[in-house]
Amino acid sequence: MTKSIAIQKIDFTCTKCGECCKNLDKNRVFMLFPVDIPKLTKALNISREDLISRYIEKSLIETKEGNYLEVYFVKPAANGHCPFLKEDNLCGVQEHKPEQCIRTPFGIAWSENRNSLYECLKEANIPEEYSTVNVDKELFETLRDGYSA
């Protein structure tokens, strides 16, 4: 699995600590994009319906135009971690990772405070002006098309 184009510009190497996949809650979620659904069904060898019922929470978000979009999030396991995180802190769907996970620990449309939640970023050489907002704009646009596939 290669890093996203935006992350390739940063001097950062994953330490495989698993912290970005742990302690998910309403403030720390993994959004799934339409392109993620077929990738995960393939990785897990399950139907779309099974994927949604076992691993996905649906939510409605209001757009700035006042419309609502149904969006999907990874449903945390009972321990609060990503259900695809293995005991060795590696990803169980590595070759089919969701788009947000590919960008982790930076996330989607990242341009936030450099004092991140994650220890692994404290030593990363991140340019002050760095942002993934423009790179990820196209990915966000896929939400308008929805999850039908």
Side-chain angles (χ1 to χ4, degrees), residues 113-125:
N113 182 332
R114 301 304 186 245
N115 296 322
S116 172
L117 298 170
Y118 308 115
E119 281 294 318
C120 61
L121 283 178
K122 292 202 169 52
E123 301 300 319
N125 182 16

Side-chain angles (χ1 to χ4, degrees), residues 37-138:
I37 304 303
K39 290 193 312 187
L40 288 172
T41 58
K42 181 178 180 178
L44 300 168
N45 195 28
I46 59 175
S47 71
R48 182 179 192 279
E49 293 75 23
D50 283 345
L51 177 75
I52 291 170
S53 69
R54 292 168 58 186
Y55 298 107
I56 292 177
E57 293 179 340
K58 296 180 185 181
S59 185
L60 290 177
I61 59 170
E62 186 173 4
T63 67
K64 62 183 176 185
E65 295 84 19
N67 301 319
Y68 287 89
L69 286 175
E70 182 177 74
V71 293
Y72 294 172
F73 297 95
V74 172
K75 184 187 307 181
N79 62 4
H81 302 340
C82 175
F84 310 123
L85 183 66
K86 299 185 305 183
E87 285 187 31
D88 61 3
N89 286 332
L90 298 179
C91 181
V93 293
Q94 180 67 27
E95 296 303 315
H96 304 280
K97 270 187 177 180
E99 291 297 316
Q100 182 170 350
C101 302
I102 292 169
R103 291 157 170 79
T104 296
F106 300 96
I108 300 289
W110 189 71
S111 62
E112 62 196 47
N113 182 332
R114 301 304 186 245
N115 296 322
S116 172
L117 298 170
Y118 308 115
E119 281 294 318
C120 61
L121 283 178
K122 292 202 169 52
E123 301 300 319
N125 182 16
I126 304 169
E128 193 61 38
E129 72 285 353
Y130 179 76
S131 169
T132 65
V133 173
N134 290 332
V135 173
D136 291 326
K137 182 179 178 186
E138 187 176 316

